[in-house]
């Protein structure tokens, strides 16, 4: 691990001002915010992350989970995953989020990990985490050995010739299906970013993973008012039952009436380079009967653009079956 300066900013303004001195908000930045540290510290030990300054923001008042005036929820960026998963309103009105969190990591990590940190969670690709190997995400222009190497767990949706790394988050898949909004405070003021726009596809710049700019601090995430009568399911398929990342997962938020689907929000995990909202599957579902034929059509639409690599073609059928089963669970009487 490289040496670094440890700073506890007195307030939010000081944190942003200090972080704004960074050359870039992406990998290689010389300033990093520290929340739970469950990802950052690991990557610092591996010398994947080498910040010169680490800003501890745990004392900033950003850990509240509150009901908004319109009946939605405002979630502080420093709220711990366990607190969010066990919040009574979240369990009642946004159960897909609670389910997703509780299927991620371990209880000990959930007790430490923060909402803001989860949004910034970095890939588990073995080439990214090994500094002896080339990686375009870590060192732009160095290459992506995963394309011809070990890629069983990597992305089949949203990949490019520069990067096929998978986004590892469970929480973010649920937030995509719930159409969350990320609230950001930075040197130029505050802004709200729709969740689907927050993470970036790798394209030719896989080192740039989000829309964050130098000095930007995620302050909270907001959820819209719950949809009355919606059924919500998060289904995760993985190699073992605990402390394992998804090979494929599905977050489903459905509203039905008289046996037909009238509203659908679908997101997939474990298969995309970002939390993967599937508007294609949603379009197939709405207005159709809630039956296996419809579910199969939706699954086919969701994976139509999949581009597997040498070891992960199985993910196409796995993701289809995952989505179909989640849809069955959401519509079971």
């Amino acid at each position: 691990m490289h040496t670094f300066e440890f700073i506890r900013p007195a307030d939010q303004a000081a944190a942003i001002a200090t972080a704004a001195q960074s050359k870039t908000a992406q990998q290689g930045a010389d300033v990093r915010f520290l929340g739970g540290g469950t990802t950052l510290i690991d990557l610092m030990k591996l010398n994947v992350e080498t910040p010169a300054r680490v800003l501890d923001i745990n004392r900033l008042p950003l850990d509240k989970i509150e009901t908004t005036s319109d009946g939605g929820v405002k979630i502080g960026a420093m709220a711990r995953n366990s607190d969010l998963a066990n919040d009574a309103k979240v369990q009642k009105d946004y159960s897909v989020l609670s389910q997703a969190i509780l299927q991620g990591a371990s209880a000990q990590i959930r007790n430490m990990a923060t909402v803001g940190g989860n949004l910034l969670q970095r890939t588990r690709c073995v080439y990214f985490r090994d500094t002896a190997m080339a990686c375009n995400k870590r060192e732009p222009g160095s290459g992506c050995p995963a394309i011809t190497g070990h890629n069983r767990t990597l992305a089949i949706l949203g990949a490019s010739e520069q990067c096929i790394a998978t986004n590892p988050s469970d929480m973010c898949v649920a937030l995509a299906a719930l159409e969350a909004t990320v609230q950001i405070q930075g040197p130029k003021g505050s802004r709200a970013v729709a969740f689907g726009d927050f993470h970036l596809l790798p394209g030719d710049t896989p080192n740039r993973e989000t829309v964050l700019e130098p000095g930007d601090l995620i302050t909270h995430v907001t959820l819209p008012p719950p949809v009355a009568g919606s059924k919500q399911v998060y289904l995760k398929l993985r190699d073992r039952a605990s402390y394992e990342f998804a090979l494929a997962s599905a977050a489903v938020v459905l509203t039905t009436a008289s046996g037909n689907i009238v509203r659908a929000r679908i997101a997939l995990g474990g298969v995309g380079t970002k939390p993967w909202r599937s508007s294609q599957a949603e379009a197939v579902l709405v207005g159709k009967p809630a039956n296996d034929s419809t579910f199969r059509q939706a699954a086919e639409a969701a994976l139509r653009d999949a581009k597997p690599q040498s070891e992960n073609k199985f993910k196409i059928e796995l993701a289809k079956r995952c989505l179909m089963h989640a849809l069955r669970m959401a519509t079971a009487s």
Side-chain angles (χ1 to χ4, degrees), residues 262-286:
V262 297
R263 183 180 183 275
R265 297 294 184 269
I266 304 295
L268 302 176
V271 292
T273 55
K274 59 183 282 186
W276 200 261
R277 173 84 178 271
S278 181
S279 57
Q280 298 92 336
E282 294 169 2
V284 168
L285 291 166
V286 173

Side-chain angles (χ1 to χ4, degrees), residues 82 101-112 242-244:
S82 291
I101 295 170
L102 292 174
Q103 292 184 57
S106 64
Q108 294 88 345
I109 289 177
R110 292 194 297 268
N111 288 341
M112 286 295 296
S242 66
Y243 198 55
E244 182 62 281

Side-chain angles (χ1 to χ4, degrees), residues 28 47 143 195 222 246 292:
N47 290 326
F195 196 83
T222 54
D292 269 6

Side-chain angles (χ1 to χ4, degrees), residues 95-96 99 173-174 177-178 230-235 250-255 263-268 285 322-331:
S95 61
V96 68
Q99 294 172 49
V173 181
L178 290 170
S230 69
K231 302 295 184 182
Q232 304 179 18
V233 169
Y234 185 75
L235 178 62
V252 170
V253 182
L254 288 185
T255 307
R263 183 180 183 275
R265 297 294 184 269
I266 304 295
L268 302 176
L285 291 166
C322 181
L323 176 55
M324 290 180 64
H325 192 55
L327 289 166
R328 292 189 196 104
M329 294 168 67
T331 53

Side-chain angles (χ1 to χ4, degrees), residues 27 46-48 124-151 154 162:
Q27 164 55 28
L46 294 171
N47 290 326
V48 173
R124 306 297 296 193
C125 174
V126 295
Y127 299 101
F128 169 72
R129 295 172 67 87
D130 184 353
T131 57
M133 303 298 294
C135 174
N136 284 326
K137 187 178 287 293
R138 199 179 61 247
E139 297 180 32
S142 63
C144 178
I147 292 175
T148 56
H150 180 55
N151 51 50
L154 300 184
Q162 305 300 318

